[in-house]
Amino acid sequence: MTTAPLDHQTVPTHWTHRHLLDLERLTPTEVRTLLDTATLFKEATGGCRRKLGVLAGKTIVTLFFENSTRTKTSFALAARRLGADVVDFSASSSSLSKGESFIDTAKNLEAMGIDAVVVRHVTPGTPHLLAQHLDVGVINAGDGPHEHPTQGLLDIFTIRERLGDLSGATVGLVGDIAHSRTARSNLWGLMKLGAKVILCGPPTLVSDRWRELGVEVSHDLDAIVPRCDVLNLLRIQFERQNTRPFPSVREYAHLYAMTRDRLKRAKKDLLILAPGPINRGVEVTAEVADCPQSLILGQVANGLAVRMAVLWLTCGPRAGADGPSPGTKVY
Ligand code: ASP
């Protein structure tokens, strides 16, 4: 474990949140604080590889009611690399199956002296509900199609590392906007940092009503590719759809997959992102997923830095207090 200046640092006084529930309600300054803190942790840990002790003595519980490959592991590793203990709650072998309510279960976990809960649930608003009932920090790791704030932050962090200032950058979010929590968190975060956002996909998955938020809506990927500095290629969320929003996956891929041909018509330094899991041949071809402009694995690596920042800001040491003060905002 290394000793770094961060070991003795307290959470900035302007960060007043106990929870991270969404990006929609954060201010641009708060989004920047999260990203700047992630940069600090990435540097202080030699690219998130070395350990720090800034959360020693803290216990983080991961409470996942939906599958996860990257997010759960990334939160667990981030917490351990900051010196915290991590407990994974397994919903299927818990008393929830004996009829205990979700809130009672969470309150029982809280009574054991934990410091934060990282929750993923199929129902939008679940983390917000938990935050109303718990005194410990609640971090949203994905609530149905609503938001996935750490995914949005790590995508934006990855773009910012390459482009610096985001104001004036054009970012295309392509795919299943209707069911994608990643799209929503990206959209809020990017807009707050002054980026131009284009939502692109079939009309059944990208409503024109998004324009009311001040973003551009397009149903023609070929038309937007040459204008974009970044393309974030989102998976079709088949598991959230009751009916097929397009005739066939083949037709979708023909119109909306990022292919080598489309790449030829893009800006030379276009950045390719995808939140993962990627479905090669559907939203992106294998060649593009693995091309030099693809930052897909870099996003995963940056997820650690972002989650370190989120864990530290929500349950790290505060000046003059051992934890968030009662007056802190509850979102
Ligand atoms: N991993 C991201 C999420 O949990 C994106 C996806 O599943 O398509 O939302």
Side-chain angles (χ1 to χ4, degrees):
M1 196 173 290
T2 54
T3 310
L6 272 166
D7 277 342
H8 307 290
Q9 210 161 300
T10 50
V11 170
T13 48
H14 66 268
W15 180 267
T16 54
H17 297 282
R18 281 155 54 192
H19 313 297
L20 180 69
L21 302 178
D22 51 58
L23 297 192
E24 180 178 358
R25 287 176 298 169
L26 295 187
T27 65
T29 305
E30 288 168 340
V31 174
R32 281 194 192 92
T33 300
L34 279 159
L35 298 172
D36 293 345
T37 309
T39 304
L40 272 181
F41 276 109
K42 188 169 175 179
E43 285 166 5
T45 54
C48 304
R49 288 174 188 276
R50 286 198 301 271
K51 279 192 152 191
L52 296 174
V54 295
L55 291 186
K58 304 279 182 187
T59 303
I60 313 295
V61 174
T62 52
L63 196 60
F64 277 57
F65 293 87
E66 253 191 28
N67 294 343
S68 169
T69 308
R70 280 149 291 271
T71 307
K72 189 154 97 171
T73 310
S74 178
F75 266 112
L77 280 176
R80 288 201 183 101
R81 291 199 183 148
L82 296 186
D85 293 322
V86 182
V87 177
D88 180 34
F89 172 87
S90 164
S92 56
S93 59
S94 76
S95 288
L96 281 167
S97 59
K98 299 183 196 165
E100 185 172 66
S101 81
F102 179 62
I103 298 297
D104 281 336
T105 301
K107 279 187 154 308
N108 276 271
L109 293 171
E110 183 179 52
M112 294 183 212
I114 63 169
D115 297 282
V117 177
V118 179
V119 60
R120 169 172 288 190
H121 202 281
V122 68
T123 309
T126 301
H128 306 68
L129 178 74
L130 264 192
Q132 284 168 17
H133 290 270
L134 301 186
D135 289 326
V136 298
V138 177
I139 297 165
N140 182 1
D143 59 329
H146 175 229
E147 274 222 39
H148 189 353
T150 56
Q151 179 71 53
L153 287 168
L154 75 88
D155 292 350
I156 295 167
F157 180 88
T158 305
I159 300 170
R160 203 176 76 145
E161 269 192 332
R162 292 294 178 115
L163 301 186
D165 185 14
L166 261 79
S167 59
T170 301
V171 181
L173 303 174
V174 185
D176 186 354
I177 309 299
H179 304 97
S180 169
R181 53 195 176 204
T182 297
R184 281 168 186 70
S185 290
N186 263 273
L187 177 109
W188 291 120
L190 289 165
M191 282 174 58
K192 284 170 205 283
L193 298 188
K196 174 171 177 50
V197 178
I198 308 178
L199 302 177
C200 180
T204 44
L205 293 176
V206 189
S207 161
D208 284 340
R209 292 205 60 187
W210 285 107
R211 293 198 173 104
E212 291 168 23
L213 291 178
V215 299
E216 186 178 327
V217 169
S218 168
H219 306 300
D220 184 351
L221 180 60
D222 290 310
I224 69 154
V225 160
R227 294 167 48 213
C228 287
D229 301 299
V230 181
L231 281 177
N232 198 344
L233 307 169
L234 309 178
R235 188 175 63 88
I236 301 298
Q237 312 272 306
F238 289 111
E239 72 276 20
R240 299 193 201 286
Q241 299 166 1
N242 299 326
T243 51
R244 273 255 158 130
F246 38 74
S248 71
V249 171
R250 207 164 144 205
E251 179 173 323
Y252 177 83
H254 176 65
L255 293 172
Y256 294 106
M258 194 56 197
T259 59
R260 196 168 48 171
D261 277 350
R262 290 195 165 108
L263 200 55
K264 282 185 197 152
R265 282 174 262 132
K267 290 184 184 172
K268 256 197 163 38
D269 42 8
L270 172 75
L271 304 176
I272 301 285
L273 273 74
I278 57 168
N279 287 168
R280 290 170 187 259
V282 183
E283 69 274 13
V284 61
T285 61
E287 292 167 312
V288 175
D290 301 328
C291 76
Q293 285 141 281
S294 164
L295 303 178
I296 296 174
L297 291 178
Q299 288 169 260
V300 178
N302 284 335
L304 276 174
V306 161
R307 288 171 180 127
M308 283 179 182
V310 169
L311 290 168
W312 185 72
L313 286 168
T314 51
C315 52
R318 315 247 162 180
D322 184 22
S325 61
T328 48
K329 291 184 203 166
V330 291
Y331 59 87

